[in-house]
Every structure is written in C-alpha cells, then in structure tokens.
Amino acid sequence: MKRFPNQWINNTTLQVQRILANYHSLLLGGAIALLSAIAFSRLAYQFARLVWLSDDFNGAIDLKLRYQEVNLWFAGEPIYDQLGSAVYPPASYTMLLPFLGYPSLSFTRWLWAITSIAALIWLAYLLINETQIKKVMPRVLLVMLLLAMYPTGDTIGNGQLTLHILVSLVAGLTLMCRRPIGWGKDLWASVLVIAALVKPTLAVPFFWIVLFVPGRVRPILMVSVGYIALALFATGFQQSDLFSLHHDWLAQGIKGAAWGTYSPRLVNYSLITSTTTTIPIPIKPPSSPPTTSPLPKQLFIS
C-alpha cells in the first residue's frame, strides 16, 4: 500500500514528460501566441494612456508630476516647500532634465514613449544575451513574458521610471562585473549606475554590488563623483545650499510616507493600498498633508 502513491506519482510524472516531449513545440507556440495577444492589447492601451489619454484615465500620471517638478526646479522654485509629490533628491532632477525639461507636455509624453520602447528593446536584449538561450522559440517566449507582465504595461502607462532604472541597473552592473576591465568600460558602467540612481529608493540597494565587486575601486569613485556633480548642478538653480536641499528632501520624503500611509491617494496607490489593507503600521498621522500646488498652465502647452 505504501508503494502505491509513489508508483502513481512516478507514472504520472513520466506521462507528463512524454506529453511535454511530444507536444513541446505546440505547447510553446500556444504559450507564445497567448502571451503575444495579452502583450499587444495591454501595451496598446498603456501607450495610449502615456501619449494620448486624458486625466480621466490617469494617463501619464507620474510623468506629469515629474514634469512639473523638473520645470519648477529649474525655474528656481522651492519645490520641496510647494509640492507634496517632490520626493526625489536634487541630482534626480538634473538627470530628468534632458527628458522632461521642455515647454510642451505633449512632446514630453511622446519622447518618454520613445525612450520606453528603447528601454524595452534593450532589456529584452539583455535578458536573451545573459540567459544564453540559443533556440529561437524560447527566446521569443522570454521576451513575451516581459511584455505581457502587468507591471510592464502599468509602468509605461503611468510614465514611471522603473523600466528605465531596471535596464540601467542590469546593463551597468553586468558591464561593471565583466572582464577584462578598462577605463572605457568602467565609465559606461558608472554612467548607467548613476542613471539608475535617479530613484534612490529603488536603486541604492543594488549599489552594494558596486561596493563589493572585487578589486573595483574605480567604479565606486566614478559613481560617487558623478552623482555629486549632478547634485551640485541642480543646486545652482535653487537658493538653498546642497546640504539644506537634501535635508528638505529627506524631510519631505518622511512626511509624504507617513501621510501616504493614511491617505493612499497622495503617493503610489498600488503600493500603499497593498500595505495599509494588510499590515497595520503604527505611525501617527501628520496634522496636515504635504502641500500640493496646482499645476501651472504654462507647463501644459500642447
């Protein structure tokens, strides 16, 4: 009697293996077709949200916030005092300036869509190259998995930074750990890691990899000097000094996180709701939410 369950499991496993072996191509093709349909419909809608759709669909909601922050920052406005959404450090606004520092929001949305497509292509290439998959069908399946995932589409539709940060991290860290080493390779790797630090809350944990790559002091210095230079450039457009701005940034982030725990609409909705509905966090709510100024009309010239 004890042998029966084991024998049944073994026989079932063998049957499943035979089915997979005999119908491998058919199953793989079906999975690719299904994922392709999901990816096409989802990405078509999300790119429409990013480029065309209005506030009724929350189109490019995060991109609009970053657009407002960047333009007001380089206009000399103290955004940490004015905007509840301003939770990025000074260097981040320097990095975002080439992508968001334009008079037309419509142009910015199209530009961000182009960079998102480029990031998707680059990330797909990195996945295929680093996994070293040789056959075509499994490569296509891997790419379709990336494109069909819900977070991929949602990141694009909201105009978020995650996709750009992820590809910069993967490319930069891979290049940094590759041998042989050289000045050119270290420079490019450092630039990519610095670009990923546009959102420190997401990228900083991976900076530990940079610190602990054996015998690699040069990239650490390049990343540190480059990031400080970007912060100093951003500081030149504000009345406060570098240290005061970072103090204001940290204070703003803490205040926004505490208030967002009790009012999810003020921060990333999907993140906060998933936290507050399952885990009680004993934080005393602030007396008032971070201030949020209305979006100036001059920032939304079509």
Side-chain angles (χ1 to χ4, degrees), residues 121-138:
I121 295 173
W122 193 2
L123 186 56
Y125 167 78
L126 289 172
L127 287 174
I128 292 172
N129 188 57
E130 297 304 320
T131 54
Q132 299 182 354
I133 298 175
K134 304 300 181 183
K135 295 183 179 180
V136 175
M137 294 286 280

Side-chain angles (χ1 to χ4, degrees), residues 30-50:
I32 291 173
L34 178 61
L35 290 173
S36 299
I38 295 173
F40 177 79
S41 59
R42 184 168 290 163
L43 291 180
Y45 170 68
Q46 295 295 353
F47 272 107
R49 281 186 61 222
L50 175 60

Side-chain angles (χ1 to χ4, degrees), residues 97-156:
L97 181 62
F99 305 99
L100 308 182
Y102 302 98
S104 172
L105 177 61
S106 298
F107 173 80
T108 302
R109 293 173 76 167
W110 277 99
L111 178 62
W112 196 255
I114 294 172
T115 62
S116 298
I117 293 172
L120 279 175
I121 295 173
W122 193 2
L123 186 56
Y125 167 78
L126 289 172
L127 287 174
I128 292 172
N129 188 57
E130 297 304 320
T131 54
Q132 299 182 354
I133 298 175
K134 304 300 181 183
K135 295 183 179 180
V136 175
M137 294 286 280
R139 286 184 172 187
V140 176
L141 179 64
L142 182 63
V143 173
M144 287 301 109
L145 281 171
L146 169 66
L147 299 180
M149 287 190 299
Y150 181 83
T152 301
D154 202 45
T155 296
I156 291 171

Side-chain angles (χ1 to χ4, degrees), residues 46-67:
Q46 295 295 353
F47 272 107
R49 281 186 61 222
L50 175 60
V51 175
W52 289 302
L53 297 182
S54 64
D55 293 340
D56 294 336
F57 296 87
N58 286 329
I61 182 172
D62 286 83
L63 185 67
K64 291 175 181 176
L65 294 175
R66 304 291 85 78
Y67 177 81

